[in-house]
Structure formats: C-alpha cells, structure tokens
Amino acid sequence: VYEKRENTEAAQHFLLQCVLALFSEDFGLIPNNFFSELIRDCQNGESSYDLFGALFKQMASEAPAKAGKFKDIRYFNGGLFKRIEPLELDKHSLGLLQKASSCNWKNVNPSIFGALFEGTMNAEERHAFGAHFTSETDILKIVSPTIVRPWKQKIEGAKTLTELVRLRDELSTFKVLDPACGCGNFLYVAYKSLKDLEMLIIEKIANSYTKKSTECLGLGVSKITTKQMFGIDILPIAVEVAKMTLMLAKEIASNEWNARVGSILSTLGLDFDQGLPLDSLDENIVCRDALLEDWPEFDVVVGNPPYQSKNKMKQEMDNVYISKIREKYSDVPGRADFCVYWFRKAHELMKKGQRAGLVGTNTIRQNYSREGGLDYIVNNDGTITDAVSTQVWSGDAAVHVSIVNWIKDKDSNEKLLVFQRGDTIDSPFEYYHPASINSSLSLNIDVASAMALQINKRSECCYQGQTHGHEGFLISNDEAQEMFLKNQKLREVCFPYLIGEEMIGNKDSKPSRYVIDFRKHDIFSAMQYAEVFKLVKDRVYPDKEMKAKHEEEKNNKTRKSDPKAKLNNDHSMAFMKWWRLFRERNELLDKIITIDRYIVCSRVTKRPIFEFVSSDIHPNDALQVFPLSDDYSFGILQSGIHWEWFKARCSTLKGDWRYTSDTVFDSFPWPQKPDENSIDEIAKCARHLRGLRRKIMRENDCSLRGLYKLMEETPNNPVSDVQNKLDRAVRSAYGMKPKEDVLEFLLLLNIKLYDDEQRGVEIQPPGFPRQFAERIDKYISEDCIHV
C-alpha cells in the first residue's frame, strides 16, 4: 500500500472484500475454489483489477449474470460491495493472497477481525483511540450474564405454547447496542447467542407440541436478523470490519441453524434458513462519536470502550475534543479514565429493567474513575449483577481490566464476583457469591466513603519523588565518579538517584545512577558547572525544544477550532527552564535535607516494603516519600494495618497497587492516643524487622523482592514473625481488638476524625505523636540505604 502509494482507506476496503470472498467460497456462497482460481488467473498474467473488480460488482448486483465466468455468482448485498475500487496487485501481493486461499476459511473464526482491525491501525492511532481487541472468552463474560442468562430464565419459565411464541417474537425485536463496536466481535457473539436462544425456544416447542399445532408458526426459518445489532465507532475502517463480521455471522449462524434444525426438527417438515442475501447494515453500524452524538434505541448495551488515562488523553487527544467531553459530562471527575464516560452515558440512557455489560481498565473501581462511573450507577438505581474485579487482559494491551454487568433495577438473583490472582493470562481465578457487589468490586468493607483529613493534607509527610522528565539528566555512577575526580564542585548539582526498582530489586538497594539537578540555579549559575551543563544542553535542549514546538502547533489548531478551549502548556513551560528537572519537588527536597533519613516505598508495588533512605540520595518519582525519620512512624507505615488501607484505597497499575497520596495517605487515620509503651514496642519491632531483613539478605544474597517472594511461599518464617509482632503492637496503639476487622475499624475512625475536624476538635497528625515530641531523638536510629 505504502510503496505503491495506494489510498489506505481504499486498500483496507478492498482487503475486506477479498477476505469475504475467501470465506464465501469455503462456505459455498460462491462456487468452490472460484476466488482461488481467479487468484491463479491473475498470477498467470490476467489483471486483478479486472477480475476482482468484476467479481465484486456481480456480488453487488441483484440481476444475475446471463452468461460467462460470473453467471453462478449470487447477490450478496450487505453494503460491503456498494463501493468497488479494485487494485492492481503485484506478484508478491498475489502470492500472499494465494497462500491465504489455501486455508480452510470455514475453520477461521471471524473474531480474527479484531486482530485485522488493530493491524490496520498504526501504534499512534491505537494509543490515541484506546482501541483494544476483545477475545470471545472475555466477550462471553458479558454476553452470558447480560443477554443469555436472563433470556434462558424466561424460556425455562414459559409454560404454554402461547408464552413460547410470544417470547420468540420478543426475541426477534431485541436490540443489542455496542457503542464502541470496533471490529464487531461483541455484536457477532451477541447475534449468535440470540440465534441459540431462538433455537432453544423452537426445540422446547417441538418437544412439547405436535406438528399440527406448530405448522403455522414458521419454525424452520429464523426470525433473528443482524438488523437487531447496532454499533457505533469513530473509525471508518472499524465500521466496515464490524459490518463484515456480522455478514459472516449470518452465514455461520445459518449453517448452524440448519444443522440443528435438520437433526432435531426434521419431523416437522421445516425449511432451511438461507444465508443470502446478506443484510445491509449501513443504518445499523455507523461511524460517529458515541459520546457526543445520540445512540439508537436499545434493549441491552455491551462492549469494550476505549481506554485512555487522563494524562494520555492530554498527550494524544485534541484539546477541543477533551473540552467538549468534559463540558458534556461536567460531573465526571477530570481525572477519570476515558472509558468511564461510556459507563456513565449507558446508565443515563438505560430504562428500568434494561441491562448493560462493559469492559474497562481496572481503575474503574478506584478513586476518580469509580466516582464518575460505578458510584453513579449504584447510586442511581443500578445493581451490579456479575463482575470480574481484575484480570489480565487477553489482548495485546499491557493492562489489567474489570468487567462489569449491571441492571437498572433491583436484582435478587445470585451475584458473581471474580478475581484473577496473578500477572499472567494463565493465572488462576477465584469465584465468590456475595449478597451484593459494591462499586469498588471488592469483598472487603467498602472504604470509598472515607474522607480526606485536613491534618493529613497539611502534614507535609507524603510526597512523590522527583520526575526528571528526560534521560539526559541521568549519568551512571562511574561517569559521575570520574567527573568528581576532576571537579568536586559538581557534587553540588549531582546526586545519587534512587528508583523503586532498585530499592526492592537490587541486593543492596542502592542507586546505580546520579541525577543532574539544577533546582536552585538559574541559567547563569547553572553554567558554572560547565561539564554537566554541557551534557544537559546537548542531550536535553533539542528534545524539549522540539516537543514545545509540537505542542504550540497543536495549541494553534485548537485555538482556531475553539478559542475558549483549555490548552496544554506542559512542554512549553518545561522548555522555558530546559536545564531543570520536569518536577523538581522543591518542597520535598527542602524537607529531607533537614533530616538524616526518610521513609520510602515503591509507588507501584505488590508487596508491603518500606525502607529508610539517606537524605544524600534524591528519590525518583517511582518512590513515594515520607520525610519522617523516626522508627515509630516507620512501624505504622510498614504495618499490615496501613497495608490493608493502602490496598483498599489505592489505584492500580496493571495488577500492582499504586500509592496515591490524596486517596491513601490523606484519609489514613493515625493512632490518636498511643501510650509510651506502644510507641516503644512499635519502634523496637520496626528496628528488629529492618535489621533481620538485611541480615537474611546478606546471608542469602537476595534482594528485598526476593526476600518477600520467599516469605509469600513460606509464611512461617522469622521475618513474618517479627512483622506479626509489629502488627500486634500497632493494633494495640490504635486500641484495636485482636480479631477486629481492620478496614471497618479504620473507616469508623476516619469518619469520627473527619467529624471532629469539622467541629474544630484538634486531632493527632501523621508522624511521631505530638505529646512525646521532646523524646523523638530516642526513636531515631541510623540504619538506611546509603551510597
């Protein structure tokens, strides 16, 4: 396509026509091997432009050819052949097509069109539109509970022929909508499911009633049509692929119907269902923006809306478009994932008793995304009936997803909540049947109602590390030491730079790089450190200049489209101070230079690992930083009590938990009245835990990650024993009973402290207890990660 400068859209359309022809000859819709013979004719010198063009024109014609090569070609309709733009294929392309024709396309599931759909998009397009192929296994996790199960309950409950006939008529008008249909796989599976349900009705009729009582019912010809399927997508090629997927669905379902009817109901003298002509779906599958334009009427909504985080939206989507979305859905938090808007719109449009099932990133059950979507659903007459809380995505995208099915009504049926435990597609699933499913899709008490405490927000005890923003600011340890030998003054702007992976993955937890940090310097004073200034100018300046120019071009387009639209100026601002880190975190750095050590955890983690780090080391943004130096504070943060709150309140990245200061730390209630004995015990256990961890790591040559993985495999171990002792001490500091539920206790304490704050009552802040502040030095030991 690119070498011959063919029009991409025309080439995609031509490819779909060829694929349908390959299917058609193996399904008997065109004579056997007919298209394969045309390919061979072209390989022997005839023109693909002429032969393929003539075939496709005849497939689009209601009038059969009177003679010649195409006289046995039937009318296909279907819309795919309305536009015929054949291509002249070269030998290489014909060879690929000939190889494809040698396969038995009867054995090819149309779900391959998901891969075909993604294959027609480059990586940039896939990111921008958040397009992700959905496997049939995952589609059934929505279609089964949202369509099949409710209909089966109706069919099983039908007691008379009249009821069964009425159900069949209702089924034939049942409308399925996928408002982000992509390649049409959801509609394909839904259509086949409606066919199966109709056959279930007919089988029940045939097995219960005589031929005489049913001969006028037309049982042999299906009433289910692809015209009951509706789809919306913003990409023209996706719309074409979806139409073609449903065209093939009609033929595949027709074959299955005839086989099943023929074997079970032949005594009724039934006719066979005809696959052709295909249905024209130009009014059903449409190219439009599902968020900004109207949806057709529906009975059920299914699908996999596009994923896009708030930051990716800013980077890859048009600012005018983002402004329109946020204006239309103004009460959806701006930091919600893009897919949340589909959940919101679906529920707003649903009528009482209607159902929906959608896939989303597993952030839909967390924080801002949950507030905009699932919280809205359950607070506005919705009931979640079945959900996969988290699972590894089956497609190419490296994400974990949640799958949610709900009804706009009360529902007394058994609920199903599923979890996949692990990070691979083969990881095991766990199945639960809770009385109800909350908006966080969890089995624990729902702590979504916890409030941020002002004392925590003002405490200056929780920060994200520095974001360098460009690899040009980083130098290796060896490179740094070599420069220091020549000029010790460079140590004033070069610092060891620790990331989360090194903290938990290196055997000594030490950083392997330095960061060049001019945070206190203007351009003139930065130039005094000539060696590293030149490095930054050579490595960083060109890239920041280019990104700023690209951002300005994008903003200019936005201004022309909408002068009032919000513009993104991140790169422009960064270029104005190109010699400085993207996020310097001055407030944090000013705090840690006043203490000898500070506490960190990896901001994205699957294990409760906290450590002390020397203040000589700068923390990267992969670390969550707590500028607290005492062992008591460490013990609280390292405790299982804090870990449970962390897991319940955090967001996730893939399958790992991500520490978020505004949702985790700001709402976490610290012990309010710990006595000195509790403080002593917590500090003693904290020191013992760190010392024992390091001793075992040295003796066994392993990292913190390796140590904790072994602890998971063998819970009965010395480190876990000390951790359990620490947890008991922390429980005692809270006044928590031994078997009291941690989350329930913390939630009630959070609510009480929030109310106290509203009434002006002073509460205990994070960190070392104020009433013992004069004794804090007793609780500051010296161990930490250092260079």
Side-chain angles (χ1 to χ4, degrees):
V1 171
Y2 298 107
E3 290 178 5
K4 297 184 70 175
R5 300 185 183 278
E6 299 284 3
N7 176 272
T8 301
E9 187 178 343
Q12 290 170 333
H13 196 81
F14 177 75
L15 172 63
L16 295 179
Q17 291 169 330
C18 289
V19 170
L20 184 57
L22 290 168
F23 267 96
S24 297
E25 69 174 4
D26 285 346
F27 273 101
L29 299 179
I30 60 177
N32 190 36
N33 291 324
F34 187 88
F35 191 60
S36 300
E37 290 293 340
L38 289 189
I39 297 170
R40 281 190 279 273
D41 289 343
C42 295
Q43 287 179 310
N44 292 329
E46 295 199 49
S47 167
S48 64
Y49 186 94
D50 291 341
L51 291 184
F52 292 176
L55 171 63
F56 298 156
K57 286 175 183 174
Q58 188 57 53
M59 292 167 80
S61 173
E62 292 187 59
K66 295 180 179 179
K69 190 185 289 283
F70 304 107
K71 65 182 178 64
D72 294 324
I73 300 300
R74 291 188 287 167
Y75 173 49
F76 272 67
N77 191 14
L80 183 62
F81 299 102
K82 276 187 176 179
R83 186 175 48 140
I84 309 296
E85 296 178 287
L87 301 181
E88 188 63 47
L89 300 180
D90 57 24
K91 287 185 178 180
H92 175 69
S93 299
L94 287 167
L96 293 174
L97 205 53
Q98 191 277 325
K99 186 175 180 180
S101 72
S102 66
C103 300
N104 184 353
W105 285 73
K106 259 193 171 182
N107 297 327
V108 177
N109 191 313
S111 65
I112 66 152
F113 295 149
L116 177 64
F117 168 42
E118 286 199 53
T120 61
M121 303 170 69
N122 59 39
E124 188 174 321
E125 286 177 314
R126 282 198 297 272
H127 279 296
F129 291 100
H132 299 296
F133 161 69
T134 314
S135 73
E136 189 162 341
T137 300
D138 288 328
I139 292 170
L140 286 170
K141 292 174 185 176
I142 284 176
V143 170
S144 292
T146 301
I147 298 176
V148 176
R149 189 196 305 152
W151 271 100
K152 278 190 173 180
Q153 289 174 348
K154 291 180 183 180
I155 295 167
E156 289 168 2
K159 304 300 183 185
T160 66
L161 179 60
T162 300
E163 288 180 299
L164 289 167
V165 171
R166 178 178 53 78
L167 281 178
R168 188 188 180 201
D169 289 339
E170 286 180 12
L171 191 66
S172 70
T173 62
F174 188 77
K175 298 181 178 68
V176 180
L177 170 65
D178 183 345
C181 66
C183 61
N185 275 8
F186 273 87
L187 297 176
Y188 169 78
V189 175
Y191 172 75
K192 286 188 64 185
S193 297
L194 294 189
K195 282 278 194 179
D196 288 341
L197 289 166
E198 184 188 28
M199 284 190 270
L200 195 62
I201 294 172
I202 290 175
E203 286 168 355
K204 188 168 182 177
I205 291 173
N207 291 331
S208 304
Y209 301 97
T210 64
K211 176 181 177 181
K212 184 175 181 180
S213 63
T214 60
E215 60 186 358
C216 297
L217 299 179
L219 300 182
V221 179
S222 175
K223 288 189 173 184
I224 303 300
T225 77
T226 53
K227 291 280 197 177
Q228 295 171 239
M229 305 294 115
F230 295 83
I232 305 171
D233 204 279
I234 202 167
L235 295 175
I237 182 59
V239 169
E240 293 304 318
V241 175
K243 290 177 187 175
M244 180 171 155
T245 300
L246 284 175
M247 291 176 200
L248 293 169
K250 181 177 182 182
E251 177 57 27
I252 293 168
S254 178
N255 283 356
E256 292 177 358
W257 169 276
N258 290 334
R260 192 161 160 183
V261 165
S263 61
I264 298 175
L265 306 176
S266 57
T267 56
L268 298 179
L270 300 173
D271 297 323
F272 286 108
D273 195 41
Q274 297 296 314
L276 291 178
L278 301 175
D279 297 321
S280 176
L281 298 171
D282 290 348
E283 300 299 318
N284 290 62
I285 315 295
V286 296
C287 186
R288 66 173 64 142
D289 191 312
L291 292 183
L292 297 178
E293 300 181 51
D294 292 339
W295 290 5
E297 286 191 9
F298 58 81
D299 293 294
V300 68
V301 176
V302 297
N304 179 14
Y307 314 148
Q308 206 68 280
S309 68
K310 181 260 301 184
N311 289 336
K312 287 292 184 182
M313 285 173 67
K314 285 176 64 178
Q315 292 172 20
E316 299 179 353
M317 291 184 173
D318 180 75
N319 291 331
V320 174
Y321 181 71
I322 295 173
S323 296
K324 288 179 180 177
I325 295 294
R326 289 183 175 165
E327 182 179 350
K328 186 175 179 65
Y329 304 93
S330 58
D331 53 346
V332 174
R335 294 169 69 177
D337 191 284
F338 192 46
C339 69
V340 169
Y341 295 102
W342 270 264
F343 283 78
R344 184 58 167 261
K345 184 166 183 176
H347 193 70
E348 287 177 348
L349 294 177
M350 288 164 65
K351 299 172 184 175
K352 185 176 181 180
Q354 290 185 333
R355 296 175 182 268
L358 296 174
V359 182
T361 56
N362 67 357
T363 58
I364 63 168
R365 58 193 175 90
Q366 300 157 0
N367 304 333
Y368 305 102
S369 293
R370 185 194 65 236
E371 290 174 25
L374 298 186
D375 277 357
Y376 176 82
I377 288 170
V378 299
N379 292 330
N380 289 272
D381 305 318
T383 303
I384 300 173
T385 59
D386 298 73
V388 179
S389 180
T390 183
Q391 73 165 63
V392 179
W393 189 231
S394 56
D396 290 336
V399 295
H400 282 58
V401 300
S402 297
I403 300 175
V404 185
N405 300 281
W406 77 94
I407 183 173
K408 196 167 189 176
D409 202 352
K410 290 181 170 57
D411 185 83
S412 59
N413 291 306
E414 185 178 63
K415 310 297 187 292
L416 175 64
L417 182 59
V418 181
F419 301 81
Q420 188 175 32
R421 306 299 190 188
D423 297 322
T424 67
I425 199 168
D426 297 321
S427 296
F429 285 87
E430 295 176 0
Y431 301 86
Y432 299 90
H433 296 282
S436 63
I437 300 175
N438 59 42
S439 60
S440 62
L441 309 184
S442 68
L443 291 170
N444 297 320
I445 184 171
D446 189 357
V447 296
S449 60
M451 304 296 290
L453 303 172
Q454 291 303 312
I455 195 73
N456 289 36
K457 294 176 73 172
R458 296 194 302 264
S459 68
E460 301 180 348
C461 290
C462 185
Y463 296 88
Q464 189 174 328
Q466 292 182 300
T467 305
H468 51 277
H470 195 288
E471 291 294 310
F473 287 108
L474 306 181
I475 54 178
S476 69
N477 283 350
D478 291 341
E479 190 177 5
Q481 297 305 322
E482 186 178 339
M483 288 193 296
F484 295 158
L485 287 174
K486 299 175 182 177
N487 185 356
Q488 284 292 317
K489 185 178 175 61
L490 297 179
R491 290 184 180 275
E492 297 174 4
V493 294
C494 296
F495 306 91
Y497 196 50
L498 184 65
I499 64 174
E501 174 58 32
E502 291 170 336
M503 192 270 283
I504 64 172
N506 289 354
K507 292 175 183 177
D508 57 7
S509 295
K510 293 184 178 182
S512 62
R513 296 175 297 179
Y514 275 65
V515 63
I516 302 168
D517 183 3
F518 291 119
R519 74 183 183 94
K520 295 278 187 170
H521 296 273
D522 62 23
I523 187 71
F524 302 109
S525 60
M527 290 172 63
Q528 304 306 310
Y529 304 90
E531 298 93 330
V532 290
F533 182 82
K534 184 178 186 304
L535 280 178
V536 173
K537 186 170 184 180
D538 291 345
R539 298 174 180 177
V540 177
Y541 183 94
D543 282 350
K544 288 200 173 186
E545 181 182 38
M546 180 186 66
K547 288 177 180 177
K549 287 181 178 178
H550 178 73
E551 183 179 74
E552 183 59 25
E553 291 170 2
K554 185 176 178 181
N555 284 341
N556 286 336
K557 291 180 181 177
T558 299
R559 289 188 191 98
K560 290 179 181 178
S561 301
D562 182 0
K564 296 181 180 179
K566 186 177 179 180
L567 303 178
N568 184 12
N569 295 305
D570 285 350
H571 291 299
S572 299
M573 296 295 292
F575 182 54
M576 290 175 65
K577 296 183 178 180
W578 60 265
W579 66 97
R580 289 168 59 168
L581 304 185
F582 187 65
R583 296 278 187 266
E584 296 168 315
R585 310 295 182 197
N586 284 310
E587 186 179 349
L588 167 64
L589 269 291
D590 287 343
K591 286 189 71 67
I592 66 176
I593 61 176
T594 65
I595 54 180
D596 292 329
R597 62 180 187 174
Y598 56 89
I599 303 169
V600 301
C601 71
S602 184
R603 206 156 60 84
V604 177
T605 183
K606 64 177 67 176
R607 298 179 180 92
I609 305 175
F610 290 74
E611 256 294 5
F612 273 118
V613 176
S614 166
S615 295
D616 295 331
I617 297 172
H618 281 206
N620 172 265
D621 68 355
L623 291 173
Q624 198 71 29
V625 183
F626 309 88
L628 300 165
S629 58
D630 64 281
D631 292 319
Y632 167 81
S633 296
F634 180 92
I636 298 295
L637 293 173
Q638 178 63 66
S639 72
I641 287 78
H642 176 248
W643 178 244
E644 288 302 315
W645 189 259
F646 173 13
K647 290 190 296 180
R649 290 280 297 172
C650 71
S651 63
T652 57
L653 183 63
K654 298 182 183 177
D656 296 343
W657 291 288
R658 176 164 52 187
Y659 205 104
T660 42
S661 58
D662 52 353
T663 56
V664 178
F665 189 83
D666 288 353
S667 62
F668 178 66
W670 285 62
Q672 292 301 293
K673 296 179 180 179
D675 58 33
E676 194 163 2
N677 288 335
S678 294
I679 296 171
D680 285 343
E681 184 66 14
I682 290 169
K684 184 175 73 172
C685 290
R687 289 192 294 270
H688 188 188
L689 179 70
R690 295 194 307 273
L692 184 59
R693 288 191 315 199
R694 287 297 166 190
K695 178 176 181 291
I696 293 174
M697 288 164 63
R698 284 193 303 272
E699 292 174 351
N700 296 277
D701 195 32
C702 68
S703 64
L704 279 166
R705 176 187 286 124
L707 173 67
Y708 274 77
K709 286 180 73 173
L710 285 170
M711 289 166 59
E712 289 169 0
E713 295 166 3
T714 312
N716 185 16
N717 64 79
V719 179
S720 293
D721 290 344
V722 178
Q723 179 68 57
N724 293 336
K725 192 175 180 182
L726 171 63
D727 291 346
R728 289 193 294 271
V730 173
R731 277 179 170 267
S732 176
Y734 275 104
M736 194 184 304
K737 296 174 184 177
K739 293 186 178 181
E740 194 164 3
D741 184 86
V742 169
L743 292 179
E744 184 176 2
F745 179 93
L746 292 176
L747 178 60
L748 291 174
L749 180 56
N750 167 274
I751 293 169
K752 178 185 180 301
L753 296 181
Y754 179 79
D755 289 342
D756 286 346
E757 279 193 329
Q758 300 306 301
R759 293 184 291 108
V761 177
E762 191 173 352
I763 66 175
Q764 187 74 248
F768 195 77
R770 284 181 302 204
Q771 63 269 37
F772 300 105
E774 72 279 0
R775 305 180 205 174
I776 190 171
D777 289 347
K778 173 185 172 183
Y779 301 97
I780 299 178
S781 50
E782 296 181 354
D783 64 295
C784 61
I785 298 168
H786 56 80
V787 180

